[in-house]
């Protein structure tokens, strides 16, 4: 550094900066100054710790003094003059001073002194220069560590040093304390990797620049052994030895600690005040949470109290933003298990917060607040355990969004201050709270009375039953609420309890919704002169008895109103009570005959009797609620009626059947119609079978006829042809014409007979249903009509068709007929044929559509009749058997055939075939 540059430095940079850069330097340094007017009155302004160590002196001894006067120098008076002169001119000099070590040894140490005038003052910066004069070991890290230790060991700030390779060689107490670690933890570890900054590379950059000799500052958190992270504002100061940086040390000050004390003392004071004025643990914790979350801008706060016996944490009190779903949680249902790991963390972190990202909440994955936290952008959170001795007495948890991170320090500070006092408080009230809870939770009536029988305390059950508030309770006496009839006994018992240990009695209490029958146990505490009362509500028992009585009245009314014979059978005494139905339904008037199971069962048809009785027994043994049976029951006139009997069993607590209530319903009319139905059905089935037989016969007849007709026809045809071609027979024009008519007729007849044969064969085929690829069938059919298609200039469009279960040859015939018709009944220059497919649950449906001549709707049904034609043979050739065959084929496939058509525009023939043929 040239003289000139120091001058500039001093001019442009505040003294503070220079000071901070030499403050931690291991080289001894000091700053002196003099008034420009009097160069000889040199005075020490500042010395760094290294200088104090070197000279074995303290600040008071040095500040304001002239170094040339207090330190021995090797300079003569005359030489001093030149020094002062050099200072005035801003030149540098290299004086040496004699330094005495505590051991008694003295060493001459050389300084380089740069001088810089600044206004009416002149400053000199002294830096220890010739380190070779010092003992060797002073250079060693060991020595440095000692130096640092002396300086920083007791500091509240965390301090550590890294060599140029980033290895730590010193750290102070505060560092280990705050990172929850010890020396061994950092061995072989890169501390730099444990520093976390907002920008990832920030630490690296700062460290690199520090190694270049430039002091840096850095806002970072440091993670040690614990998950806890605190933020520090670090100063990175290069350690310069022999004008070379060989280490950097980090001094970190907790970023948020500074003015916290005064700022938050008020909050703590406020909260503590609640402790004094409030008695209710819940209110206190709720208020504490509200206060904290609000003051620090944290969105959520929770208090969890541990249940040490069950090793669970229970959500006890919370503050969430309004209107959020998890605000409705029931506290009791929310508890989490405390894992060993978590407990360990709590112990080792004692008194310190657990800072975490909300994505790492230690709570259950399914915990709904996690989802909420994500949704609301609450990414950071921390949990603050509250301790009393070794015991965790509560855990505060807070959540906030990232922006609020800087407030975490504040909250941590306040929480730390609070937790000690809270710990004592919570533990104190917890026991009271627990017993209070118990008091409120038991289903029985509990109260505390003073010796005069005035209410002192009562649980919710009592308050609700009497319809009074806790606040006004003390105005009332117990006897006020006792029914007049029970006043005397209650009075007596309240008195008795003071001499006896325990008294028990029943009384009637006037509740807000009516009288309550209570069974009381009273005990007396003579020390405090109070009576403890506990009661069970036995009103229900009383009500039940009453209901039962009312019930039997109702039974009578009910039995009159309905036609069934209803009964109630007391199984224990084997007594049956009957309603009116016994008479109405069966005409029985001698009710006495029916009052036992035996009496009743006598009238069951002998064919049903044992079965019915057996079923009743079996149902009750199986503890079934309901028994249902159908049997015949004899009427007064000796005839039997069909009965549907339904009985409900009633069991006692031991599970034995005690009663049965039931009704016998007359199902005779039903049975009768059922029988007629069965008969009708039989007749129908018989008729269907007959018809089937007729059909078969008819088919066989058609087959035989057509088959047998062929033979004589062939003969007629052959002889007519012979006649036509014979030269021997004399023919004239007329006879030739007749012969040709006869031949023509015979040809047609042959066609008709063949068609008839085809038609009748449809029903007789032996072929089985099998899987048929409709695409292939259609493809083969179209091949046959290839020529006709070309001749007529027609086009065919086919959808992809499914595979179905069908009789292959018949399906081929079906398509053949429909396609040939579609081609034939078409006079358009460009006939178009489309084949489509759809399906419903039970059937496949195929359609053959054309743009041909169409069919008038009035013929839609007729065209399926054999030989029915709408055109004569000159117009369109054919016999009229095609569609009849089609109809038979689809019927064989359990389907239907139908047509939609508009004359002149085209027709669409559709048929369905079943998906599930019964073979
Ligand atoms: P044929 O074609 O031998 O006359 P069909 O039983 O196949 O016998 O048809 C009966 C009648 O139904 C035909 O004469 C014809 O009038 C009418 N028909 C059948 N298919 C069509 C069609 N695609 N377009 C118009 N009419 C048709």
């Amino acid at each position: 550094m040239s003289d000139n540059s120091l001058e500039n430095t001093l001019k442009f940079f505040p003294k503070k900066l220079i000071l901070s850069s030499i403050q931690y330097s291991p080289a001894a340094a000091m700053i002196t100054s003099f008034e420009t007017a009097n160069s000889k009155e040199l005075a020490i302004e500042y010395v760094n710790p290294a200088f104090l160590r070197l000279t074995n002196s303290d600040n008071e001894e040095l500040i304001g003094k002239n170094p040339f006067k207090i330190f021995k120098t090797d300079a003569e008076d005359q030489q001093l003059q030149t020094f002062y002169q050099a200072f005035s001119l801003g030149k540098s000099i290299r004086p040496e001073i004699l330094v005495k070590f505590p051991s008694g040894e003295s060493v001459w140490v050389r300084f380089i002194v740069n001088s810089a005038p600044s206004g009416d003052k002149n400053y000199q910066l002294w830096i220890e220069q010739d380190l070779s004069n010092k003992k060797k070991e002073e250079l060693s890290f060991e020595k440095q560590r000692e130096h640092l230790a002396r300086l920083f060991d007791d500091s509240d700030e965390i301090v550590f040093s890294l060599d140029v390779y980033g290895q730590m060689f010193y750290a102070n107490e505060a560092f280990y304390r705050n990172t929850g670690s010890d020396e061994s933890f950092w061995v072989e570890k890169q501390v730099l990797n444990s520093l976390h900054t907002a920008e990832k590379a920030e630490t690296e950059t700062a460290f690199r620049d520090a190694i270049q000799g430039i002091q840096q500052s850095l806002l970072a958190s440091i993670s040690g052994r614990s998950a806890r992270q605190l933020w520090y504002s670090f100063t990175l100061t290069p350690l310069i030895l022999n004008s070379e940086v060989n280490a950097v040390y980090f001094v970190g000050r907790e970023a948020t600690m500074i003015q916290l004390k005064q700022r938050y003392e008020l909050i703590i004071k406020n909260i503590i005040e609640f402790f004094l004025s409030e008695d209710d643990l819940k209110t206190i914790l709720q208020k504490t949470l509200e206060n904290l979350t609000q003051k620090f801008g944290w969105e959520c706060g929770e208090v969890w109290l541990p249940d040490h016996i069950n090793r669970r944490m229970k959500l006890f009190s919370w503050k969430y933003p309004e209107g959020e779903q998890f605000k409705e949680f029931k506290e009791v249902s929310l508890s989490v298990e405390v894992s060993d790991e978590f407990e360990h963390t709590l112990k080792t972190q004692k008194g310190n917060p657990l800072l975490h990202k909300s994505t790492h909440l230690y709570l259950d994955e399914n915990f709904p607040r996690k989802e909420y936290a994500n949704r609301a952008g609450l990414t950071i959170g921390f949990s603050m355990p509250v301790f009393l001795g070794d015991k965790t007495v509560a855990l505060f948890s807070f959540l906030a969004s990232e922006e609020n991170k800087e407030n975490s320090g504040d909250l941590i500070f306040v929480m730390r201050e609070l937790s000690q006092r809270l710990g004592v408080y919570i533990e104190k009230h917890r026991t009271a709270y627990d017993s209070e809870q118990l008091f409120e939770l038991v289903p029985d009536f509990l109260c505390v009375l003073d010796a005069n029988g005035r209410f002192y305390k009562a649980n919710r059950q009592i308050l609700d039953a009497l319809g009074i508030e806790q606040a006004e309770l003390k105005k009332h006496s117990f006897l006020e609420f006792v029914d007049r009839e029970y006043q005397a006994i209650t009075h007596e018992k309240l008195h008795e309890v003071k001499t006896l240990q325990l008294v028990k009695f029943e009384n009637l209490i006037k509740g807000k919704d009516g009288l309550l029958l209570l069974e009381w146990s009273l005990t007396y505490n003579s020390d405090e002169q109070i009576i403890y009362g506990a009661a069970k509500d036995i009103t229900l028992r009383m009500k039940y008895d009453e209901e039962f009585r009312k019930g039997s009245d109702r039974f009578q009314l009910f039995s009159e109103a309905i036609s069934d014979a209803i009964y109630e059978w007391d199984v224990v005494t084997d007594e049956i009570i009957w309603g009116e139905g016994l008479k109405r339904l069966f005409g029985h008037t001698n009710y006495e005959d029916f009052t036992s199971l035996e009496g009743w069962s006598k009238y069951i048809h002998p064919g049903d009797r044992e079965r019915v009785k057996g079923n009743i027994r079996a149902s009750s043994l199986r503890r079934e609620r309901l028994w249902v049976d159908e049997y015949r029951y004899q009427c007064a006139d000796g005839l039997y009626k069909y009965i549907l009997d339904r009985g409900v069993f009633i069991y006692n607590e031991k599970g034995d059947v005690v009663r049965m209530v039931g009704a016998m319903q007359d199902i005779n009319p039903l049975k009768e119609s059922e029988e007629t139905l069965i008969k009708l059905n039989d007749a129908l089935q018989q008729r269907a079978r007959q018809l089937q037989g007729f059909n078969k016969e008819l088919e066989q007849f058609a087959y035989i006829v057509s088959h047998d007709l062929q033979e004589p026809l062939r003969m007629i045809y052959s002889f007519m042809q012979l006649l036509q071609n014979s030269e021997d027979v004399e023919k004239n024009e007329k006879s030739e014409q007749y012969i040709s008519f006869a031949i023509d007729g015979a040809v047609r007849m042959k066609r008709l007979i063949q068609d008839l044969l085809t038609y009748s064969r449809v029903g007789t085929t032996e072929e089985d249903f099998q899987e048929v690829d409709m695409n292939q069938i259609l493809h083969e059919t179209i091949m046959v009509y290839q020529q006709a298609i070309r001749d007529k200039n027609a086009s065919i469009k086919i959808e992809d068709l499914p595979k179905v279960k069908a009789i292959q040859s018949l399906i081929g015939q079906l398509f053949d007929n429909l396609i040939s018709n579609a081609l034939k009944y078409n006079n358009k220059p460009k006939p178009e044929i489309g084949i489509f497919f759809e399906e419903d649950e039970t059937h496949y449906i195929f359609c053959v559509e054309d743009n041909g001549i169409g069919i008038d709707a009035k013929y839609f049904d007729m065209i399926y009749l054999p030989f029915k034609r709408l055109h004569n043979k000159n117009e369109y050739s054919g016999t009229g058997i095609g569609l009849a065959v089609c109809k038979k084929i689809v019927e064989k496939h359990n389907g239907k055939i139908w047509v939609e058509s508009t004359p002149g525009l085209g027709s669409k023939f559709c048929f369905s075939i079943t998906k599930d043929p019964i073979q």
Side-chain angles (χ1 to χ4, degrees):
M1 193 187 271
S2 77
D3 300 353
N4 206 14
S5 81
L6 179 77
E7 192 176 325
N8 284 337
T9 310
L10 282 172
K11 229 184 252 161
F12 295 112
F13 291 93
K15 191 167 78 181
K16 224 168 118 192
L17 202 79
I18 306 270
L19 283 181
S20 70
S21 73
I22 59 171
Q23 190 176 9
Y24 300 118
S25 164
M30 85 176 147
I31 293 174
T32 53
S33 69
F34 60 82
E35 307 280 341
T36 325
N38 189 357
S39 65
K40 281 174 205 160
E41 277 315 304
L42 197 62
I44 300 175
E45 290 219 347
Y46 169 81
V47 286
N48 77 350
F51 191 94
L52 292 176
R53 274 197 311 277
L54 179 75
T55 57
N56 198 21
S57 44
D58 57 33
N59 261 322
E60 273 93 322
E61 290 174 50
L62 304 178
I63 303 296
K65 307 276 167 54
N66 186 336
F68 289 127
K69 288 193 178 138
I70 54 170
F71 293 114
K72 230 178 150 42
T73 73
D74 59 347
E76 300 292 304
D77 269 347
Q78 202 190 353
Q79 225 172 342
L80 280 178
Q81 288 302 327
T82 37
F83 285 172
Y84 292 135
Q85 231 166 20
F87 292 156
S88 306
L89 295 169
K91 281 188 179 160
S92 79
I93 55 158
R94 286 159 200 274
E96 272 188 35
I97 55 178
L98 187 66
V99 174
K100 260 204 170 95
F101 287 107
S103 59
E105 222 181 320
S106 353
V107 164
W108 286 102
V109 179
R110 181 180 295 280
F111 283 84
I112 173 155
V113 188
N114 286 299
S115 177
S118 169
D120 48 11
K121 261 197 161 185
N122 192 311
Y123 287 99
Q124 300 79 42
L125 177 61
W126 300 55
I127 295 175
E128 175 192 9
Q129 203 222 355
D130 193 0
L131 292 166
S132 60
N133 278 341
K134 288 189 180 175
K135 290 198 171 113
K136 275 276 188 291
E137 70 264 32
E138 209 176 333
L139 280 175
S140 74
F141 275 163
E142 209 31 64
K143 203 75 188 170
Q144 284 186 25
R145 189 197 284 268
E146 246 174 54
H147 278 175
L148 292 169
R150 229 175 291 150
L151 255 180
F152 299 124
D153 264 359
D154 299 330
S155 165
D156 269 348
E157 293 158 351
I158 66 168
V159 182
F160 61 93
S161 312
L162 306 181
D163 64 19
V164 288
Y165 307 107
Q167 282 297 320
M168 189 169 88
F169 68 92
Y170 167 80
N172 71 347
E173 284 290 322
F175 175 84
Y176 292 126
R177 202 169 49 241
N178 283 284
T179 54
S181 59
D182 54 19
E183 226 176 310
S184 62
F185 177 80
W186 296 99
V187 172
E188 313 252 299
K189 272 205 184 73
Q190 283 284 346
V191 189
L192 287 181
N193 293 341
S194 301
L195 287 181
H196 310 287
T197 47
E199 296 288 320
K200 220 168 172 246
E202 226 177 298
T203 316
E204 290 280 332
T205 324
F207 184 66
R208 215 180 35 239
D209 291 349
I211 291 174
Q212 297 305 311
I214 309 158
Q215 195 178 41
Q216 299 293 314
S217 60
L218 185 70
L219 188 69
S221 68
I222 184 157
S223 57
R225 197 184 286 282
S226 64
R228 180 174 64 102
Q229 291 188 336
L230 287 181
W231 286 82
Y232 297 93
S233 128
F234 285 103
T235 315
L236 281 65
T237 310
L239 182 71
I240 303 164
L241 290 176
N242 291 339
S243 351
E244 232 180 75
V245 176
N246 52 9
V248 174
Y249 47 103
F250 289 66
V251 179
R253 187 173 294 226
E254 200 177 312
T256 43
M257 284 290 272
I258 305 116
Q259 349 81 319
L260 276 181
K261 266 213 158 59
Q262 314 96 0
R263 244 170 89 204
Y264 293 118
E265 219 122 69
L266 241 177
I267 299 174
I268 296 170
K269 208 170 129 243
N270 274 347
I271 293 171
I272 303 286
E273 262 163 24
F274 282 124
F275 296 179
L276 304 174
S277 61
E278 268 289 341
D279 222 21
D280 179 18
L281 180 62
K282 187 132 202 170
T283 321
I284 301 291
L285 293 178
Q286 186 71 31
K287 283 266 156 69
T288 308
L289 271 181
E290 257 165 42
N291 218 320
L292 293 174
T293 48
Q294 205 180 351
K295 284 263 157 43
F296 299 103
W298 287 66
E299 278 89 338
C300 294
E302 293 165 350
V303 185
W304 295 74
L305 296 191
D307 169 351
H308 289 289
I309 297 162
N310 298 315
R311 288 173 54 83
R312 295 186 81 78
M313 299 290 286
K314 279 190 173 179
L315 185 57
F316 182 77
S317 187
W318 58 84
K319 186 196 172 290
Y320 296 139
E322 293 296 327
E324 281 300 334
Q325 81 184 75
F326 63 119
K327 200 173 158 59
E328 292 153 25
F329 287 169
K330 297 279 169 291
E331 64 198 275
V332 277
S333 66
L334 259 187
S335 72
V336 290
E337 231 170 280
V338 180
S339 63
D340 284 341
E341 193 192 341
F342 181 55
E343 203 162 70
H344 176 79
T345 321
L346 282 184
K347 285 227 166 87
T348 49
Q349 284 305 301
K350 198 169 167 178
N352 285 318
L354 312 164
L355 199 68
H356 45 63
K357 294 252 179 217
S358 65
T359 43
H360 295 131
L361 288 177
Y362 62 88
L363 292 171
D364 216 47
E365 266 300 306
N366 301 324
F367 194 60
R369 80 163 181 188
K370 184 165 173 169
E371 196 208 312
Y372 164 76
N374 289 343
R375 207 155 19 94
L378 307 181
T379 48
I380 55 163
F382 81 82
S383 305
M384 185 81 194
V386 175
F387 285 93
L388 187 68
D390 242 6
K391 211 157 109 193
T392 321
V393 292
L395 184 80
F396 276 75
S397 266
F398 299 92
L399 283 181
S401 49
E402 192 76 28
E403 303 89 69
N404 201 19
K405 190 151 75 183
E406 57 264 29
N407 278 346
S408 64
D410 300 5
L411 186 51
I412 290 164
F413 176 77
V414 172
M415 275 306 300
R416 246 194 225 144
E417 288 287 298
L418 259 181
S419 59
Q420 280 185 351
R421 302 183 226 197
L422 260 180
V424 180
Y425 175 82
I426 292 173
E427 206 41 21
K428 205 171 85 198
H429 283 73
R430 180 66 189 273
T431 358
Y433 178 82
D434 282 351
S435 53
E436 192 76 16
Q437 286 283 302
L438 208 67
F439 196 68
E440 292 298 337
L441 279 178
V442 289
D444 295 344
F445 292 84
L446 295 179
C447 64
V448 183
L449 307 173
D450 67 13
N452 300 321
R454 291 195 80 80
F455 275 115
Y456 184 68
K457 207 167 175 178
N459 71 351
R460 187 88 337 250
Q461 276 75 354
I462 289 203
L463 295 175
D464 286 349
L466 301 183
I468 48 176
E469 287 299 321
Q470 181 82 49
E472 43 183 278
L473 183 73
K474 287 186 180 161
K475 290 190 217 139
H476 298 280
S477 86
F478 183 53
L479 277 171
E480 272 174 54
F481 296 96
V482 177
D483 181 72
R484 207 153 44 90
E485 296 233 352
Y486 288 85
Q487 291 271 345
I489 170 112
T490 309
H491 187 78
E492 192 183 309
K493 294 290 172 186
L494 281 174
H495 194 70
E496 230 176 68
V497 73
K498 292 177 197 167
T499 45
L500 301 173
Q501 287 266 301
L502 169 78
V503 295
K504 285 189 181 219
F505 67 103
E506 282 178 16
N507 70 6
L508 266 184
I509 294 285
K510 293 178 280 184
K512 73 170 194 302
D513 300 320
L515 288 176
L516 296 167
L517 183 64
L518 299 185
E519 194 175 63
W520 286 96
S521 306
L522 300 184
T523 50
Y524 186 64
N525 179 333
S526 54
D527 288 345
E528 295 185 42
Q529 302 203 333
I530 48 174
I531 301 168
Y532 293 103
K536 270 199 170 50
D537 186 355
I538 52 169
T539 321
L540 271 178
R541 206 157 74 197
M542 186 178 77
K543 272 207 183 118
Y544 178 77
D545 290 345
E546 199 179 315
E547 282 297 306
F548 187 70
R549 193 178 44 75
K550 274 196 216 144
S552 10
D553 295 348
R554 246 184 256 142
F555 179 76
Q556 278 308 324
L557 287 171
F558 191 58
S559 79
E560 279 165 33
I562 66 165
S563 61
D564 296 355
I566 66 171
Y567 56 84
E568 186 173 337
W569 174 34
D570 186 326
V571 182
V572 184
T573 59
D574 189 20
E575 256 180 297
I576 306 178
I577 315 169
W578 287 94
E580 292 291 294
L582 191 63
K583 186 168 135 206
R584 213 166 26 231
L585 231 60
F586 309 107
H588 293 304
T589 44
N590 50 335
Y591 274 49
E592 299 86 70
D593 289 358
F594 297 86
T595 49
S596 70
L597 188 71
E598 210 41 50
W600 162 76
S601 60
K602 253 192 246 156
Y603 290 83
I604 301 177
H605 191 284
D608 298 334
R609 195 180 297 141
E610 287 318 306
R611 189 199 78 229
V612 172
K613 279 162 76 180
N615 281 350
I616 295 179
R617 236 188 336 267
S619 288
S620 72
L621 285 177
R622 282 200 298 267
R623 305 264 188 283
E624 281 167 0
R625 211 181 83 80
L626 190 68
W627 158 79
V628 183
D629 213 337
E630 245 182 67
Y631 54 89
R632 286 161 288 177
Y633 203 73
Q634 199 172 33
C635 304
D637 61 8
L639 294 174
Y640 285 93
K641 270 189 174 174
Y642 276 101
I643 294 300
L644 176 73
D645 198 342
R646 273 180 287 224
V648 177
F649 292 108
I650 297 162
Y651 299 88
N652 65 11
E653 318 82 75
K654 278 192 270 163
D656 301 325
V657 59
V658 287
R659 277 213 306 281
M660 182 189 195
V661 187
M664 290 164 75
Q665 187 191 350
D666 178 5
I667 52 164
N668 225 34
L670 249 165
K671 267 282 179 226
E672 274 164 12
S673 57
E674 198 177 291
E675 268 166 22
T676 348
L677 257 174
I678 291 171
K679 275 184 203 147
L680 261 173
N681 210 16
D682 283 350
L684 257 169
Q685 270 176 6
Q686 210 177 337
R687 181 115 187 86
R689 272 195 297 275
Q690 268 175 6
L691 270 171
Q692 253 175 9
F694 287 153
N695 270 342
K696 260 227 144 53
E697 275 169 38
L698 214 71
E699 265 168 16
Q700 271 164 5
F701 174 72
Y703 181 74
I704 293 162
V705 168
S706 43
H707 190 267
D708 291 357
L709 278 176
Q710 279 190 107
E711 193 41 42
L713 182 63
R714 218 174 291 137
M715 233 163 77
I716 297 172
Y717 179 73
S718 313
F719 282 104
M720 288 311 274
Q721 269 199 323
L722 277 177
L723 192 62
Q724 193 178 38
N725 300 332
S726 169
E727 312 245 311
D728 311 336
V729 183
E730 208 176 298
K731 287 171 282 188
N732 57 23
E733 205 177 312
K734 218 168 209 159
S735 65
E736 287 221 26
Q737 201 185 8
Y738 291 159
I739 292 170
S740 117
F741 281 160
I743 290 180
D744 214 28
V747 169
R748 258 196 315 125
M749 189 160 180
K750 189 177 160 209
R751 284 266 310 276
L752 282 172
I753 289 174
Q754 272 171 351
D755 283 351
L756 198 57
L757 256 177
T758 321
Y759 179 71
S760 60
R761 268 195 204 123
V762 171
T764 59
T765 173
E766 293 288 299
E767 210 180 318
D768 265 349
F769 280 85
Q770 63 185 87
E771 197 175 73
V772 175
D773 183 348
M774 296 299 253
N775 290 314
Q776 194 186 335
I777 297 267
L778 209 63
H779 183 71
E780 284 164 9
T781 311
I782 287 165
M783 287 299 282
V784 176
Y785 291 101
Q786 206 62 4
Q787 190 58 42
I789 291 168
R790 229 174 286 134
D791 293 349
K792 291 201 82 166
N793 199 20
S795 64
I796 301 194
K797 206 168 85 193
I798 308 173
E799 254 187 17
D800 192 29
L801 304 180
K803 289 193 172 109
V804 302
K805 271 219 170 124
I807 299 169
Q808 176 145 4
S809 63
L810 296 186
I811 294 291
Q813 212 173 336
L814 181 57
F815 273 127
D816 191 304
N817 287 341
L818 294 179
I819 289 169
S820 79
N821 280 352
L823 275 170
K824 182 163 59 171
Y825 299 106
N826 203 320
N827 48 16
K828 300 273 158 62
K830 277 192 177 160
E832 281 167 19
I833 300 174
I835 291 138
F836 312 107
F837 150 77
E838 52 191 85
E839 63 185 308
D840 61 22
E841 252 168 51
T842 54
H843 286 79
Y844 297 106
I845 298 161
F846 299 90
C847 297
V848 178
E849 191 171 25
D850 62 50
N851 60 347
I853 58 170
I855 306 166
D856 194 319
K858 66 180 173 213
Y859 300 120
F860 279 1
D861 290 333
M862 252 184 255
I863 49 179
Y864 305 104
L865 295 172
F867 307 118
K868 180 71 200 175
R869 308 208 59 226
L870 303 181
H871 308 276
N872 66 40
K873 65 176 167 46
N874 301 328
E875 259 182 294
Y876 295 98
S877 67
T879 57
I881 200 76
L883 287 177
V885 169
C886 289
K887 185 163 190 258
K888 241 179 139 183
I889 293 175
V890 293
E891 277 168 4
K892 188 115 182 109
H893 287 87
N894 256 334
K896 284 198 183 112
I897 182 162
W898 66 96
V899 64
E900 296 158 19
S901 174
T902 315
L905 287 182
S907 317
K908 183 165 142 191
F909 277 89
C910 299
F911 65 89
S912 59
I913 59 175
T914 180
K915 285 181 171 177
D916 185 21
I918 302 151
Q919 300 187 22

